[in-house]
Amino acid sequence: GAGVSQSPSNKVTEKGKDVELRCDPISGHTALYWYRQSLGQGLEFLIYFQGNSAPDKSGLPSDRFSAERTGGSVSTLTIQRTQQEDSAVYLCASSLAGVGRETQYFGPGTRLLVL
Amino acid sequence: DQQVKQNSPSLSVQEGRISILNCDYTNSMFDYFLWYKKYPAEGPTFLISISSIKDKNEDGRFTVFLNKSAKHLSLHIVPSQPGDSAVYFCAASARSKLVFGAGTILRVKS
C-alpha cells in the first residue's frame, strides 16, 4: 500500500478484556516496529520485527503484551487482560531493511481507551 | 532514564520568523538522529535526519544541526509558516529502534 495502515483507529474496552491491534506495513518493507504514546509522553518502543529474525521484544512492558508478524507482512499486537494504564496511542512503523540510519514511516495509530 | 530530552514543552513563534527546536541526548552510541512532525490524530511524519558523521543537514526551510561534543541537536525552521504548527519529536537511533523525546508543541502565529 501507499503507507502504513492500522486498525482499528479507535478502541474502547473494559478493564480485563483482551484487545488486538493490527498493522499493515508499507509493501516491501522488511522491518516493522510497534511504539506507544501515553498522554503527555514521547513515543515508547515496544517491539521490532526484522525479516525472519527473532523479534526484539525488549520494550514490551509486561507479559500481557505480545505481537506476531505473519508472512513477513501484517502484524498484530495483542494486549491481554487490559489495564487502565494501557490506555495510549499505539503506533506502528515500517522501514525498508531495518538497519541503522534508516527512516521509519508511521501509521496513524490506534487510540486505545481502557475503562 | 530519559536518553533523549526535549526540555521545551512548547514554543510560540511569529509567522516569517525562525523557529528553533532543541534536543539533548545522553547515549554516545546514538549515530543517527531524526525529527518527526505530528499533527493531532495522525501518526508522526518524517521531516529530516542527520548522521553522526555530519554536523548539518538542510532541506528547504528545515535545517538540523548536530553538536556531538555537547550531545545536542536542533531543528531550525525558517521562515516559519502557520502550517508548521504541530508537535515536533526528536528521535535517536543506535541500531534500529528509535528513542524519542517527549515532543515540543510549536505554534506559529500569523
Side-chain angles (χ1 to χ4, degrees), chain A residues 35 58 98 100-101 104 107 111, chain B residues 32 36 41 43 95-98:
Chain A
Y35 295 85
S58 60
R101 303 185 181 186
Q104 297 179 21
R111 282 147 199 83
Chain B
Y32 191 57
Y36 283 85
R95 268 176 262 180
S96 295
K97 54 193 176 191
L98 295 176

Side-chain angles (χ1 to χ4, degrees), chain B residues 24-75:
Chain B
D24 296 291
Y25 61 96
T26 57
N27 189 341
S28 57
M29 298 299 292
F30 289 142
D31 62 359
Y32 191 57
F33 303 89
L34 307 91
W35 284 93
Y36 283 85
K37 174 180 172 181
K38 186 179 184 302
Y39 293 117
E42 294 183 11
T45 302
F46 169 73
L47 202 54
I48 193 168
S49 63
I50 188 167
S51 165
S52 60
I53 60 175
K54 294 187 173 182
D55 55 18
K56 178 182 174 181
N57 188 26
E58 191 172 350
D59 184 1
R61 295 185 299 114
F62 303 91
T63 303
V64 55
F65 295 92
L66 175 63
N67 182 333
K68 281 184 65 179
S69 60
K71 295 192 177 67
H72 177 84
L73 67 155
S74 61
L75 174 68

Side-chain angles (χ1 to χ4, degrees), chain A:
Chain A
V4 178
S5 60
Q6 293 185 245
S7 61
S9 53
N10 292 281
K11 177 72 177 179
V12 180
T13 190
E14 293 178 349
K15 178 181 170 182
K17 301 274 189 178
D18 297 351
V19 294
E20 282 189 355
L21 313 178
R22 177 187 166 105
C23 172
D24 277 280
I26 293 172
S27 178
H29 280 193
T30 62
L32 186 148
Y33 313 78
W34 283 98
Y35 295 85
R36 75 173 175 183
Q37 184 182 16
S38 302
L39 190 64
Q41 303 294 315
L43 281 74
E44 173 192 5
F45 166 77
L46 296 177
I47 187 169
Y48 155 55
F49 297 89
Q50 202 284 317
N52 296 320
S53 303
D56 177 350
K57 304 179 183 179
S58 60
L60 294 179
S62 79
D63 58 8
R64 297 186 294 105
F65 288 72
S66 63
E68 60 178 26
R69 188 178 185 195
T70 53
S73 181
V74 171
S75 176
T76 303
L77 177 69
T78 301
I79 309 173
Q80 296 178 307
R81 305 181 302 281
T82 51
Q83 304 293 313
Q84 289 180 332
E85 61 262 28
D86 299 334
S87 297
V89 178
Y90 289 81
L91 290 153
C92 176
S94 71
S95 67
L96 192 59
V99 299
R101 303 185 181 186
E102 192 177 65
T103 300
Q104 297 179 21
Y105 297 91
F106 283 82
T110 293
R111 282 147 199 83
L112 174 66
L113 178 61
V114 182
L115 300 176

